[in-house]
Amino acid sequence: MAFTSCPRGARLARRLVSHRLDTWGHPYDGRVNDTLTLITAELTANAVRHGHVSGRDFHVRLTENTDSLRVEVTDTRTERVPLLSDLEPPGDAESGRGLLIVAGLATRWAVTPRVGAPGKTVWAELGLTRDTHDPAIVDRFHANGLDGGPTWPPGVSGGH
């Protein structure tokens, strides 16, 4: 689906992914839903903040295989590719931790050029195990806010 490249678009994309996962049998309060929704929140926030091109939308694609789920976020900004680094930004930096969260939660992730148009796709996969309905793994990131949406610890930007 296409979303307007603004904070509201990122929030709607996150909610759509969470809803779709629930309909696929990964309940809202389960580990898989919470984890992939947090990953989606980080990737869509980056698309809005760093991949925004005036008048252009970003796209989200969610797919399910027998052993994994994959979320892809595509924007139209070719020259701003995220750095694949495991270095944490300085303690007082207001941003720069989102992809560290993605790397810590996803089974694997990467950045690829957008096919057939300018831009890039940042994707992340989450492996499914037999215990996919265990309590949320993302509790350590305080992802279970009272309204059902992510809340962020001090110094971590959720982009919403």
Side-chain angles (χ1 to χ4, degrees), residues 82-141:
L83 300 173
L84 305 177
S85 172
D86 58 356
L87 299 176
E88 197 165 323
D92 59 347
E94 292 185 15
S95 64
R97 292 174 181 82
L99 290 178
L100 290 174
I101 292 172
V102 170
L105 295 175
T107 305
R108 61 190 193 123
W109 73 281
V111 181
T112 58
R114 185 176 182 191
V115 177
K120 65 188 167 303
T121 298
V122 183
W123 59 265
E125 288 182 354
L126 182 62
L128 299 175
T129 61
R130 58 181 161 69
D131 61 346
T132 58
H133 298 291
D134 282 350
I137 193 172
V138 294
D139 285 343
R140 66 178 182 253
F141 293 110

Short mmCIF file of all heavy atoms in Angstrom, two decimals, residues 82-141:
data_model
loop_
_atom_site.label_atom_id
_atom_site.label_comp_id
_atom_site.label_asym_id
_atom_site.label_seq_id
_atom_site.Cartn_x
_atom_site.Cartn_y
_atom_site.Cartn_z
N PRO A 82 20.47 4.37 4.30
CA PRO A 82 20.90 4.20 5.69
C PRO A 82 22.21 3.45 5.80
O PRO A 82 22.49 2.55 5.02
CB PRO A 82 19.76 3.40 6.34
CG PRO A 82 18.95 2.87 5.25
CD PRO A 82 19.24 3.65 4.01
N LEU A 83 22.99 3.86 6.77
CA LEU A 83 24.26 3.20 7.03
C LEU A 83 24.02 1.91 7.80
O LEU A 83 23.27 1.90 8.78
CB LEU A 83 25.18 4.12 7.84
CG LEU A 83 25.54 5.44 7.18
CD1 LEU A 83 26.32 6.31 8.16
CD2 LEU A 83 26.34 5.20 5.91
N LEU A 84 24.66 0.86 7.38
CA LEU A 84 24.56 -0.42 8.07
C LEU A 84 25.66 -0.46 9.11
O LEU A 84 26.75 -0.94 8.86
CB LEU A 84 24.68 -1.58 7.07
CG LEU A 84 23.70 -1.55 5.90
CD1 LEU A 84 23.97 -2.69 4.94
CD2 LEU A 84 22.28 -1.62 6.41
N SER A 85 25.37 0.06 10.27
CA SER A 85 26.36 0.17 11.33
C SER A 85 25.80 -0.36 12.63
O SER A 85 24.61 -0.25 12.90
CB SER A 85 26.77 1.64 11.52
OG SER A 85 27.59 1.79 12.64
N ASP A 86 26.67 -0.92 13.45
CA ASP A 86 26.23 -1.37 14.77
C ASP A 86 26.73 -0.43 15.86
O ASP A 86 26.67 -0.73 17.03
CB ASP A 86 26.69 -2.80 15.04
CG ASP A 86 28.19 -2.97 14.96
OD1 ASP A 86 28.89 -2.00 14.62
OD2 ASP A 86 28.66 -4.09 15.24
N LEU A 87 27.22 0.75 15.45
CA LEU A 87 27.69 1.73 16.42
C LEU A 87 26.53 2.58 16.91
O LEU A 87 25.74 3.10 16.14
CB LEU A 87 28.74 2.65 15.77
CG LEU A 87 30.01 1.96 15.26
CD1 LEU A 87 30.91 2.96 14.56
CD2 LEU A 87 30.73 1.29 16.41
N GLU A 88 26.44 2.69 18.21
CA GLU A 88 25.38 3.49 18.81
C GLU A 88 25.78 4.96 18.76
O GLU A 88 26.95 5.30 18.97
CB GLU A 88 25.16 3.04 20.25
CG GLU A 88 23.85 3.51 20.78
CD GLU A 88 23.46 2.77 22.05
OE1 GLU A 88 23.72 1.57 22.16
OE2 GLU A 88 22.88 3.44 22.92
N PRO A 89 24.82 5.85 18.48
CA PRO A 89 25.14 7.27 18.46
C PRO A 89 25.50 7.75 19.87
O PRO A 89 25.20 7.07 20.85
CB PRO A 89 23.85 7.92 17.95
CG PRO A 89 22.79 6.94 18.23
CD PRO A 89 23.43 5.58 18.20
N PRO A 90 26.10 8.93 19.98
CA PRO A 90 26.44 9.46 21.31
C PRO A 90 25.19 9.52 22.19
O PRO A 90 24.07 9.68 21.71
CB PRO A 90 26.95 10.87 21.01
CG PRO A 90 27.31 10.86 19.57
CD PRO A 90 26.47 9.82 18.91
N GLY A 91 25.40 9.41 23.50
CA GLY A 91 24.30 9.35 24.45
C GLY A 91 23.31 10.49 24.37
O GLY A 91 22.14 10.33 24.68
N ASP A 92 23.75 11.68 23.95
CA ASP A 92 22.85 12.82 23.89
C ASP A 92 22.23 13.03 22.51
O ASP A 92 21.46 13.96 22.31
CB ASP A 92 23.57 14.09 24.34
CG ASP A 92 24.79 14.41 23.47
OD1 ASP A 92 25.22 13.54 22.69
OD2 ASP A 92 25.32 15.52 23.60
N ALA A 93 22.52 12.16 21.55
CA ALA A 93 21.94 12.30 20.21
C ALA A 93 20.45 12.00 20.26
O ALA A 93 20.01 11.08 20.95
CB ALA A 93 22.63 11.36 19.24
N GLU A 94 19.66 12.80 19.53
CA GLU A 94 18.22 12.64 19.54
C GLU A 94 17.72 11.63 18.52
O GLU A 94 16.54 11.32 18.48
CB GLU A 94 17.55 13.99 19.30
CG GLU A 94 17.74 14.95 20.45
CD GLU A 94 16.98 16.23 20.27
OE1 GLU A 94 16.08 16.29 19.42
OE2 GLU A 94 17.28 17.20 20.99
N SER A 95 18.58 11.14 17.67
CA SER A 95 18.16 10.15 16.67
C SER A 95 19.33 9.21 16.39
O SER A 95 20.40 9.37 16.93
CB SER A 95 17.70 10.85 15.39
OG SER A 95 18.79 11.53 14.80
N GLY A 96 19.07 8.23 15.54
CA GLY A 96 20.14 7.33 15.14
C GLY A 96 20.06 5.95 15.75
O GLY A 96 20.94 5.12 15.52
N ARG A 97 19.02 5.66 16.51
CA ARG A 97 18.92 4.35 17.16
C ARG A 97 17.90 3.42 16.51
O ARG A 97 17.83 2.25 16.83
CB ARG A 97 18.58 4.53 18.64
CG ARG A 97 19.71 5.17 19.41
CD ARG A 97 19.30 5.48 20.84
NE ARG A 97 20.39 6.10 21.56
CZ ARG A 97 20.69 7.38 21.50
NH1 ARG A 97 20.00 8.19 20.75
NH2 ARG A 97 21.70 7.87 22.19
N GLY A 98 17.09 3.94 15.61
CA GLY A 98 16.02 3.16 15.01
C GLY A 98 16.50 1.90 14.31
O GLY A 98 15.95 0.82 14.50
N LEU A 99 17.53 2.02 13.49
CA LEU A 99 18.02 0.84 12.78
C LEU A 99 18.75 -0.12 13.71
O LEU A 99 18.83 -1.31 13.43
CB LEU A 99 18.89 1.24 11.60
CG LEU A 99 18.11 1.89 10.44
CD1 LEU A 99 19.05 2.31 9.33
CD2 LEU A 99 17.03 0.97 9.92
N LEU A 100 19.26 0.38 14.84
CA LEU A 100 19.83 -0.53 15.83
C LEU A 100 18.72 -1.39 16.44
O LEU A 100 18.93 -2.57 16.70
CB LEU A 100 20.55 0.26 16.93
CG LEU A 100 21.85 0.94 16.52
CD1 LEU A 100 22.38 1.80 17.66
CD2 LEU A 100 22.88 -0.08 16.10
N ILE A 101 17.56 -0.79 16.65
CA ILE A 101 16.42 -1.55 17.15
C ILE A 101 16.00 -2.58 16.12
O ILE A 101 15.77 -3.74 16.43
CB ILE A 101 15.26 -0.61 17.52
CG1 ILE A 101 15.65 0.23 18.74
CG2 ILE A 101 13.98 -1.39 17.77
CD1 ILE A 101 14.67 1.33 19.08
N VAL A 102 15.92 -2.16 14.85
CA VAL A 102 15.55 -3.09 13.76
C VAL A 102 16.55 -4.25 13.72
O VAL A 102 16.16 -5.42 13.67
CB VAL A 102 15.48 -2.36 12.40
CG1 VAL A 102 15.33 -3.36 11.25
CG2 VAL A 102 14.33 -1.36 12.39
N ALA A 103 17.83 -3.93 13.75
CA ALA A 103 18.86 -4.97 13.69
C ALA A 103 18.77 -5.92 14.89
O ALA A 103 19.02 -7.12 14.76
CB ALA A 103 20.25 -4.34 13.63
N GLY A 104 18.41 -5.39 16.05
CA GLY A 104 18.31 -6.22 17.23
C GLY A 104 17.08 -7.12 17.25
O GLY A 104 17.09 -8.17 17.88
N LEU A 105 16.03 -6.73 16.57
CA LEU A 105 14.78 -7.48 16.58
C LEU A 105 14.58 -8.38 15.36
O LEU A 105 13.99 -9.44 15.47
CB LEU A 105 13.58 -6.53 16.70
CG LEU A 105 13.47 -5.74 17.99
CD1 LEU A 105 12.30 -4.76 17.91
CD2 LEU A 105 13.30 -6.66 19.18
N ALA A 106 15.04 -7.92 14.21
CA ALA A 106 14.81 -8.67 12.97
C ALA A 106 15.77 -9.86 12.88
O ALA A 106 16.89 -9.82 13.39
CB ALA A 106 15.01 -7.76 11.77
N THR A 107 15.31 -10.89 12.21
CA THR A 107 16.18 -12.03 11.91
C THR A 107 17.26 -11.59 10.93
O THR A 107 18.42 -11.95 11.05
CB THR A 107 15.36 -13.18 11.32
OG1 THR A 107 14.29 -13.49 12.24
CG2 THR A 107 16.21 -14.41 11.09
N ARG A 108 16.84 -10.79 9.95
CA ARG A 108 17.78 -10.17 9.01
C ARG A 108 17.10 -8.97 8.37
O ARG A 108 15.88 -8.89 8.33
CB ARG A 108 18.29 -11.15 7.97
CG ARG A 108 17.26 -11.74 7.08
CD ARG A 108 17.83 -12.89 6.23
NE ARG A 108 16.89 -13.22 5.19
CZ ARG A 108 17.14 -13.21 3.90
NH1 ARG A 108 18.34 -12.90 3.47
NH2 ARG A 108 16.22 -13.51 3.02
N TRP A 109 17.93 -8.02 7.88
CA TRP A 109 17.41 -6.84 7.21
C TRP A 109 18.46 -6.30 6.27
O TRP A 109 19.65 -6.63 6.39
CB TRP A 109 16.96 -5.79 8.23
CG TRP A 109 18.10 -5.08 8.92
CD1 TRP A 109 18.84 -5.55 9.95
CD2 TRP A 109 18.62 -3.80 8.59
NE1 TRP A 109 19.80 -4.63 10.31
CE2 TRP A 109 19.68 -3.54 9.48
CE3 TRP A 109 18.29 -2.83 7.65
CZ2 TRP A 109 20.41 -2.36 9.45
CZ3 TRP A 109 19.02 -1.65 7.62
CH2 TRP A 109 20.07 -1.43 8.52
N ALA A 110 18.04 -5.49 5.32
CA ALA A 110 18.97 -4.90 4.37
C ALA A 110 18.30 -3.75 3.63
O ALA A 110 17.11 -3.50 3.78
CB ALA A 110 19.47 -5.95 3.39
N VAL A 111 19.10 -3.11 2.80
CA VAL A 111 18.63 -2.03 1.93
C VAL A 111 18.92 -2.46 0.50
O VAL A 111 20.02 -2.92 0.20
CB VAL A 111 19.37 -0.71 2.23
CG1 VAL A 111 18.87 0.41 1.34
CG2 VAL A 111 19.25 -0.35 3.69
N THR A 112 17.94 -2.29 -0.38
CA THR A 112 18.12 -2.63 -1.79
C THR A 112 17.61 -1.48 -2.65
O THR A 112 16.72 -0.72 -2.22
CB THR A 112 17.35 -3.92 -2.17
OG1 THR A 112 15.97 -3.74 -1.88
CG2 THR A 112 17.87 -5.12 -1.40
N PRO A 113 18.15 -1.32 -3.86
CA PRO A 113 17.63 -0.29 -4.76
C PRO A 113 16.18 -0.59 -5.13
O PRO A 113 15.78 -1.76 -5.22
CB PRO A 113 18.52 -0.38 -5.99
CG PRO A 113 19.72 -1.17 -5.56
CD PRO A 113 19.28 -2.04 -4.43
N ARG A 114 15.40 0.45 -5.32
CA ARG A 114 14.01 0.28 -5.75
C ARG A 114 14.01 -0.20 -7.19
O ARG A 114 14.74 0.30 -8.03
CB ARG A 114 13.29 1.62 -5.63
CG ARG A 114 11.82 1.54 -5.93
CD ARG A 114 11.18 2.88 -5.70
NE ARG A 114 9.76 2.80 -5.94
CZ ARG A 114 8.99 3.86 -6.01
NH1 ARG A 114 9.51 5.08 -5.86
NH2 ARG A 114 7.71 3.72 -6.24
N VAL A 115 13.17 -1.18 -7.47
CA VAL A 115 13.10 -1.76 -8.81
C VAL A 115 12.19 -0.91 -9.69
O VAL A 115 11.04 -0.64 -9.31
CB VAL A 115 12.59 -3.22 -8.74
CG1 VAL A 115 12.45 -3.81 -10.12
CG2 VAL A 115 13.51 -4.06 -7.88
N GLY A 116 12.68 -0.48 -10.84
CA GLY A 116 11.87 0.21 -11.83
C GLY A 116 11.61 1.68 -11.57
O GLY A 116 10.86 2.30 -12.32
N ALA A 117 12.19 2.25 -10.54
CA ALA A 117 11.97 3.66 -10.23
C ALA A 117 13.07 4.13 -9.28
O ALA A 117 13.75 3.32 -8.66
CB ALA A 117 10.60 3.85 -9.58
N PRO A 118 13.23 5.44 -9.14
CA PRO A 118 14.23 5.93 -8.19
C PRO A 118 13.81 5.62 -6.76
O PRO A 118 12.63 5.60 -6.44
CB PRO A 118 14.26 7.44 -8.43
CG PRO A 118 13.13 7.77 -9.30
CD PRO A 118 12.56 6.50 -9.85
N GLY A 119 14.79 5.38 -5.92
CA GLY A 119 14.52 5.16 -4.51
C GLY A 119 15.17 3.90 -3.99
O GLY A 119 16.05 3.32 -4.62
N LYS A 120 14.71 3.50 -2.82
CA LYS A 120 15.28 2.33 -2.15
C LYS A 120 14.20 1.63 -1.36
O LYS A 120 13.16 2.20 -1.04
CB LYS A 120 16.41 2.74 -1.23
CG LYS A 120 15.93 3.60 -0.08
CD LYS A 120 17.06 4.18 0.72
CE LYS A 120 16.62 5.26 1.66
NZ LYS A 120 15.94 6.39 1.05
N THR A 121 14.48 0.37 -1.05
CA THR A 121 13.61 -0.42 -0.19
C THR A 121 14.43 -0.89 1.00
O THR A 121 15.51 -1.46 0.82
CB THR A 121 13.03 -1.63 -0.94
OG1 THR A 121 12.23 -1.15 -2.02
CG2 THR A 121 12.18 -2.49 -0.03
N VAL A 122 13.94 -0.62 2.18
CA VAL A 122 14.54 -1.16 3.40
C VAL A 122 13.59 -2.25 3.87
O VAL A 122 12.40 -2.02 4.03
CB VAL A 122 14.71 -0.08 4.48
CG1 VAL A 122 15.40 -0.67 5.71
CG2 VAL A 122 15.49 1.11 3.95
N TRP A 123 14.12 -3.45 4.02
CA TRP A 123 13.28 -4.58 4.40
C TRP A 123 13.84 -5.27 5.63
O TRP A 123 15.04 -5.17 5.92
CB TRP A 123 13.11 -5.58 3.25
CG TRP A 123 14.40 -6.16 2.74
CD1 TRP A 123 15.14 -5.71 1.67
CD2 TRP A 123 15.11 -7.29 3.26
NE1 TRP A 123 16.26 -6.49 1.52
CE2 TRP A 123 16.26 -7.46 2.47
CE3 TRP A 123 14.88 -8.16 4.32
CZ2 TRP A 123 17.18 -8.49 2.71
CZ3 TRP A 123 15.79 -9.18 4.56
CH2 TRP A 123 16.92 -9.33 3.76
N ALA A 124 12.94 -5.94 6.33
CA ALA A 124 13.33 -6.71 7.50
C ALA A 124 12.48 -7.97 7.55
O ALA A 124 11.30 -7.94 7.21
CB ALA A 124 13.13 -5.89 8.77
N GLU A 125 13.12 -9.05 7.96
CA GLU A 125 12.41 -10.32 8.11
C GLU A 125 12.44 -10.75 9.57
O GLU A 125 13.42 -10.51 10.28
CB GLU A 125 13.06 -11.41 7.26
CG GLU A 125 12.82 -11.23 5.78
CD GLU A 125 13.43 -12.34 4.95
OE1 GLU A 125 14.14 -13.21 5.49
OE2 GLU A 125 13.18 -12.32 3.73
N LEU A 126 11.35 -11.38 9.95
CA LEU A 126 11.24 -11.93 11.30
C LEU A 126 10.95 -13.41 11.16
O LEU A 126 9.95 -13.79 10.57
CB LEU A 126 10.11 -11.23 12.06
CG LEU A 126 9.89 -11.65 13.50
CD1 LEU A 126 11.13 -11.32 14.35
CD2 LEU A 126 8.66 -10.96 14.06
N GLY A 127 11.87 -14.22 11.65
CA GLY A 127 11.68 -15.67 11.59
C GLY A 127 10.57 -16.11 12.51
O GLY A 127 10.41 -15.59 13.62
N LEU A 128 9.79 -17.07 12.04
CA LEU A 128 8.71 -17.63 12.85
C LEU A 128 9.17 -18.94 13.45
O LEU A 128 9.79 -19.76 12.76
CB LEU A 128 7.47 -17.87 11.99
CG LEU A 128 6.86 -16.63 11.34
CD1 LEU A 128 5.71 -17.02 10.44
CD2 LEU A 128 6.40 -15.65 12.41
N THR A 129 8.88 -19.12 14.71
CA THR A 129 9.24 -20.35 15.40
C THR A 129 7.96 -20.98 15.94
O THR A 129 6.89 -20.38 15.89
CB THR A 129 10.21 -20.08 16.56
OG1 THR A 129 9.56 -19.21 17.48
CG2 THR A 129 11.49 -19.44 16.06
N ARG A 130 8.08 -22.14 16.49
CA ARG A 130 6.90 -22.83 17.01
C ARG A 130 6.27 -22.09 18.19
O ARG A 130 5.12 -22.29 18.52
CB ARG A 130 7.22 -24.26 17.39
CG ARG A 130 8.31 -24.42 18.40
CD ARG A 130 8.55 -25.91 18.68
NE ARG A 130 9.82 -26.16 19.28
CZ ARG A 130 10.17 -25.81 20.51
NH1 ARG A 130 9.33 -25.16 21.26
NH2 ARG A 130 11.35 -26.11 21.00
N ASP A 131 7.02 -21.19 18.82
CA ASP A 131 6.49 -20.45 19.97
C ASP A 131 6.14 -19.01 19.61
O ASP A 131 6.34 -18.10 20.37
CB ASP A 131 7.48 -20.48 21.14
CG ASP A 131 8.81 -19.83 20.79
OD1 ASP A 131 9.07 -19.61 19.60
OD2 ASP A 131 9.57 -19.57 21.73
N THR A 132 5.56 -18.82 18.43
CA THR A 132 5.27 -17.47 17.95
C THR A 132 4.22 -16.74 18.76
O THR A 132 4.05 -15.54 18.59
CB THR A 132 4.83 -17.49 16.48
OG1 THR A 132 3.69 -18.32 16.35
CG2 THR A 132 5.94 -17.95 15.58
N HIS A 133 3.51 -17.41 19.64
CA HIS A 133 2.49 -16.73 20.43
C HIS A 133 2.95 -16.47 21.86
O HIS A 133 2.15 -16.23 22.74
CB HIS A 133 1.18 -17.52 20.41
CG HIS A 133 0.62 -17.63 19.03
ND1 HIS A 133 0.10 -16.56 18.36
CD2 HIS A 133 0.54 -18.67 18.18
CE1 HIS A 133 -0.30 -16.93 17.16
NE2 HIS A 133 -0.04 -18.22 17.03
N ASP A 134 4.26 -16.52 22.08
CA ASP A 134 4.81 -16.19 23.38
C ASP A 134 4.62 -14.70 23.67
O ASP A 134 4.37 -13.92 22.78
CB ASP A 134 6.31 -16.51 23.42
CG ASP A 134 6.58 -17.99 23.59
OD1 ASP A 134 5.62 -18.74 23.85
OD2 ASP A 134 7.74 -18.40 23.45
N PRO A 135 4.79 -14.30 24.93
CA PRO A 135 4.69 -12.87 25.26
C PRO A 135 5.67 -12.05 24.43
O PRO A 135 6.67 -12.55 23.93
CB PRO A 135 5.06 -12.82 26.75
CG PRO A 135 4.78 -14.19 27.25
CD PRO A 135 5.06 -15.12 26.09
N ALA A 136 5.36 -10.79 24.32
CA ALA A 136 6.11 -9.88 23.44
C ALA A 136 7.59 -9.83 23.80
O ALA A 136 7.96 -9.63 24.94
CB ALA A 136 5.52 -8.49 23.51
N ILE A 137 8.41 -10.00 22.78
CA ILE A 137 9.86 -9.88 22.94
C ILE A 137 10.28 -8.43 23.05
O ILE A 137 11.33 -8.11 23.58
CB ILE A 137 10.58 -10.56 21.76
CG1 ILE A 137 12.06 -10.73 22.07
CG2 ILE A 137 10.40 -9.77 20.49
CD1 ILE A 137 12.80 -11.56 21.05
N VAL A 138 9.44 -7.52 22.56
CA VAL A 138 9.82 -6.12 22.53
C VAL A 138 9.50 -5.38 23.82
O VAL A 138 9.63 -4.17 23.88
CB VAL A 138 9.18 -5.39 21.33
CG1 VAL A 138 9.72 -5.93 20.04
CG2 VAL A 138 7.68 -5.47 21.38
N ASP A 139 9.10 -6.10 24.86
CA ASP A 139 8.83 -5.43 26.13
C ASP A 139 10.02 -4.60 26.60
O ASP A 139 9.86 -3.57 27.21
CB ASP A 139 8.45 -6.43 27.22
CG ASP A 139 7.05 -6.96 27.04
OD1 ASP A 139 6.27 -6.32 26.30
OD2 ASP A 139 6.74 -8.00 27.62
N ARG A 140 11.22 -5.06 26.29
CA ARG A 140 12.40 -4.31 26.74
C ARG A 140 12.51 -2.96 26.05
O ARG A 140 13.24 -2.09 26.48
CB ARG A 140 13.67 -5.13 26.51
CG ARG A 140 13.99 -5.38 25.06
CD ARG A 140 15.30 -6.17 24.95
NE ARG A 140 15.65 -6.37 23.58
CZ ARG A 140 15.55 -7.52 22.94
NH1 ARG A 140 15.14 -8.58 23.56
NH2 ARG A 140 15.90 -7.60 21.69
N PHE A 141 11.75 -2.74 24.96
CA PHE A 141 11.72 -1.45 24.28
C PHE A 141 10.45 -0.68 24.63
O PHE A 141 10.14 0.31 24.00
CB PHE A 141 11.80 -1.64 22.76
CG PHE A 141 13.12 -2.19 22.32
CD1 PHE A 141 13.21 -3.47 21.83
CD2 PHE A 141 14.26 -1.43 22.41
CE1 PHE A 141 14.43 -3.99 21.43
CE2 PHE A 141 15.48 -1.94 22.01
CZ PHE A 141 15.57 -3.22 21.52
#
